[in-house]
Amino acid sequence: KMPASIPEADRRHRASAAFSLSFLSLVFSITAFSSSYWCEGTRKVAKPFCKGDSKGDLCIRFNSPDGNGSQAVQYIWETGDDKFVEKRFHAGIWYSCEEMINEEGEKCRSFISLTPASDRGVLWLSIVTELLYVLLLLTGNILMSVEICYYSSVIDGLKINAFSAVVTVLAGLLGMVAHMMYTTVFQMTVNLGPEDWRPHTWDYGWSYGLAWTSFACCMAAAVTTINKYTKTILEFKHKRKKLERSFRIQYKFPDP
């Protein structure tokens, strides 16, 4: 027969901490996976011709009032960098969007279609790995919630605790691999992607940071779960030794 269990309040406190970290990791991962702000930056594009009476710095003006006349000689005033305008864009796993010139809103297109053909396999592998990451996080959350609400015995709780620890560690490893694969694919797309998409300047966005924050929370939840399991086992062993020592004293068995 196993010795008495550790204090219930302490066990619940550590289980709740692990569940909270795992739940945060799940929420962050789903938010990042569904958003399109993994990378943000600007594209340098040529200004369109001004139409009608439109004026401003976002279109090219002519010296001729009859800009549409085929016989009119047209001179473009802008030279050098004045002929270009920077458009902001943001991209995620699923699609890439950029702002419109002289119009409100954004124009979006599938990021998969922008990826070079040689790297699409890696991108799809990254997507599948991200989905497995989310699925394993969800499984870990369910196991941890069952453990918190499980009142039968500490031994059964330890079995669930060990399984949730393995699932959470595996989820963290998959998440790390998925994020690194997407980073590689995006950098290859920047260098080899379509000319009408390649960014002039870019940096990682808030979704990318959220994805790695999810990974950090996942690993913290795994460490907390493993620590809880290890501490419970050590307390069991300590109480078992105390119980055996008390039996030896009671029945006067020699202490080896």
Side-chain angles (χ1 to χ4, degrees):
K1 185 179 179 179
M2 293 298 295
S5 63
I6 63 175
E8 186 72 15
D10 184 40
R11 184 173 68 87
R12 290 294 179 83
H13 176 74
R14 280 178 279 168
S16 298
F19 173 77
S20 299
L21 288 169
S22 181
F23 182 74
L24 280 177
S25 178
L26 178 63
V27 172
F28 290 164
S29 65
I30 293 175
T31 304
F33 186 62
S34 59
S35 68
S36 62
Y37 286 86
W38 285 63
C39 299
E40 300 178 80
T42 58
R43 289 190 57 241
K44 200 171 185 179
V45 298
K47 294 179 182 178
F49 295 123
C50 294
K51 297 179 180 179
D53 296 331
S54 61
K55 297 180 180 179
D57 297 330
L58 298 181
C59 63
I60 297 178
R61 299 180 297 275
F62 303 102
N63 70 325
S64 171
D66 185 13
N68 294 323
S70 59
Q71 301 299 324
V73 179
Q74 302 173 4
Y75 297 97
I76 300 174
W77 291 108
E78 284 81 355
T79 59
D81 288 340
D82 292 335
K83 294 169 61 176
F84 297 93
V85 64
E86 290 188 345
K87 296 198 302 182
R88 295 196 60 82
F89 83 97
H90 54 89
I93 294 178
W94 298 107
Y95 50 91
S96 174
C97 298
E98 62 184 44
E99 63 182 353
M100 306 282 287
I101 300 178
N102 295 324
E103 295 181 24
E104 295 183 356
E106 295 180 328
K107 179 180 70 175
C108 297
R109 44 186 166 170
S110 171
F111 182 74
I112 298 173
S113 65
L114 300 173
T115 307
S118 58
D119 295 315
R120 286 178 187 170
V122 181
L123 179 60
W124 278 112
L125 185 59
S126 173
I127 292 173
V128 171
T129 309
E130 284 282 355
L131 288 172
L132 287 175
Y133 172 54
V134 174
L135 183 61
L136 286 175
L137 280 177
L138 179 60
T139 304
N141 272 266
I142 294 173
L143 289 172
M144 291 178 187
S145 61
V146 169
E147 182 191 355
I148 292 174
C149 302
Y150 202 78
Y151 297 97
S152 178
S153 68
V154 179
I155 302 303
D156 292 337
L158 276 175
K159 294 177 182 178
I160 298 175
N161 183 235
F163 190 55
S164 62
V166 172
V167 169
T168 308
V169 170
L170 182 59
L173 293 176
L174 286 176
M176 179 182 66
V177 172
H179 303 344
M180 293 176 66
M181 284 193 296
Y182 176 79
T183 303
T184 302
V185 170
F186 185 83
Q187 292 174 351
M188 293 299 294
T189 306
V190 169
N191 296 325
L192 303 175
E195 289 287 348
D196 63 344
W197 178 84
R198 294 183 191 177
H200 179 62
T201 60
W202 67 275
D203 201 354
Y204 296 110
W206 62 266
S207 295
Y208 187 80
L210 199 64
W212 282 107
T213 303
S214 170
F215 165 75
C217 290
C218 175
M219 298 311 295
V223 170
T224 304
T225 306
I226 295 173
N227 176 264
K228 174 180 176 293
Y229 178 84
T230 305
K231 187 174 181 180
T232 304
I233 292 296
L234 291 176
E235 290 186 5
F236 273 159
K237 290 182 177 180
H238 177 68
K239 290 189 176 184
R240 183 175 181 178
K241 286 182 179 180
K242 287 177 62 178
L243 190 62
E244 290 177 351
R245 188 173 292 111
S246 65
F247 282 159
R248 291 193 190 99
I249 294 174
Q250 182 178 358
Y251 295 101
K252 298 181 180 179
F253 288 149
D255 194 357

